């Protein structure tokens, strides 16, 4: 692979605990060439989870089950997403290592789709510089620190979150505030999973 391709990725789900049968309901991946900063691909899809959505999760992302009844299931979407991510060298996600990557990768395993071998760039873990007290920033705080406009009415839609995250990343990448990993991301034990952003 000659180009340094990165998938800027976000997902929404029916709830946080995968062990309780929660499922993905929306995924968004914007593919960028890190050298040219050009977006070279985009995959956005809502998913019918075939189960209800926790009220706490719905209050965050605003997606109702009725919005998903005519969408494809994960069995139809997962293999396509795995193929998209498999073309990339890196996945960039905000709280990716705490939620998006482990949740998504376990969902790949559940349906027998290949798990991409990628490096992880977590824009939350790498951005303590974005907060005055060095705490982990949410996406709104990161946007503020990077001078990226953030619309709370559009927030927590996967496609929107990916776009503003990419804007934040590229505003600081060449300044050294985000760094590329040298190792492949390894899926942690289920008990090590943390909460959503």
């Amino acid at each position: 692979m000659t180009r340094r391709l990165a998938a800027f990725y976000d997902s929404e789900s029916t709830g946080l605990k995968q062990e309780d049968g929660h499922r993905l309901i929306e995924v968004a991946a914007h593919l960028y060439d890190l050298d040219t900063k050009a977006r070279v691909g985009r995959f956005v899809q809502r998913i019918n989870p075939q189960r209800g959505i926790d009220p706490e999760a719905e209050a965050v992302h605003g997606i109702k089950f009725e919005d998903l009844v005519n969408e494809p299931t994960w069995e139809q979407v997962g293999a396509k997403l795995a193929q998209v991510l498999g073309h990339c060298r890196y996945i960039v996600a905000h709280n990716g290592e705490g939620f998006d990557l482990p949740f998504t990768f376990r969902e790949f395993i559940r349906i027998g789709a290949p798990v991409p071998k990628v490096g992880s760039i977590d824009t939350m873990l790498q951005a303590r510089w974005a907060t005055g007290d060095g705490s982990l920033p949410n996406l709104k705080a990161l946007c503020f620190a990077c001078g990226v406009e953030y619309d709370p009415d559009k927030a927590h839609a996967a496609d929107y979150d990916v776009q503003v995250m990419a804007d934040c990343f590229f505003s600081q990448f060449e300044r050294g505030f985000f760094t590329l990993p040298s190792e492949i991301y390894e899926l942690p034990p289920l008990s090590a999973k943390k909460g959503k952003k």
Side-chain angles (χ1 to χ4, degrees):
M1 193 182 317
T2 55
R3 291 193 298 183
R4 293 192 302 171
L5 283 184
F8 289 74
Y9 179 69
D10 188 42
S11 63
E12 304 297 340
S13 64
T14 61
L16 295 178
K17 292 187 177 180
Q18 206 162 11
E19 59 269 33
D20 291 343
H22 285 292
R23 299 287 180 252
L24 294 174
I25 57 173
E26 187 175 47
V27 293
H30 294 191
L31 274 57
Y32 280 86
D33 185 318
L34 294 183
D35 297 309
T36 65
K37 302 180 185 176
R39 191 170 78 179
V40 296
R42 179 173 171 267
F43 181 90
V44 179
Q45 181 65 59
R46 283 191 167 183
I47 302 152
N48 182 339
Q50 301 178 296
R51 59 151 292 154
I53 300 172
D54 273 8
E56 296 88 351
E58 187 177 313
V60 172
H61 51 58
I63 302 173
K64 302 178 184 300
F65 180 76
E66 305 87 80
D67 302 328
L68 305 171
V69 291
N70 295 318
E71 300 293 347
T73 64
W74 177 248
E75 285 73 11
Q76 296 168 294
V77 173
K80 294 178 186 176
L81 178 62
Q83 185 177 27
V84 169
L85 298 180
H87 288 300
C88 298
R89 194 179 297 186
Y90 307 103
I91 293 180
V92 185
H94 196 76
N95 194 24
E97 294 184 17
F99 181 81
D100 299 284
L101 269 64
F103 203 111
T104 302
F105 284 13
R106 288 192 184 98
E107 286 295 274
F108 288 150
I109 292 168
R110 184 173 65 83
I111 63 168
V115 175
K117 296 186 183 306
V118 293
S120 167
I121 302 157
D122 191 321
T123 56
M124 185 173 79
L125 295 178
Q126 288 196 22
R128 289 183 183 272
W129 47 263
T131 58
D133 61 358
S135 60
L136 294 172
N138 59 25
L139 194 52
K140 180 180 179 180
L142 181 61
C143 286
F144 179 79
C146 295
V148 172
E149 184 178 351
Y150 180 86
D151 186 342
D153 293 330
K154 296 179 181 177
H156 298 291
D159 197 37
Y160 177 79
D161 284 0
V162 165
Q163 188 55 62
V164 295
M165 177 181 60
D167 292 343
C168 289
F169 176 87
F170 284 115
S171 76
Q172 304 300 322
F173 179 49
E174 290 184 351
R175 300 178 62 201
F177 284 94
F178 292 113
T179 58
L180 302 179
S182 58
E183 297 180 351
I184 298 299
Y185 170 78
E186 292 188 16
L187 190 63
L190 190 60
S191 60
K193 182 161 56 74
K194 297 178 177 63
K196 186 70 167 107
K197 46 195 161 281

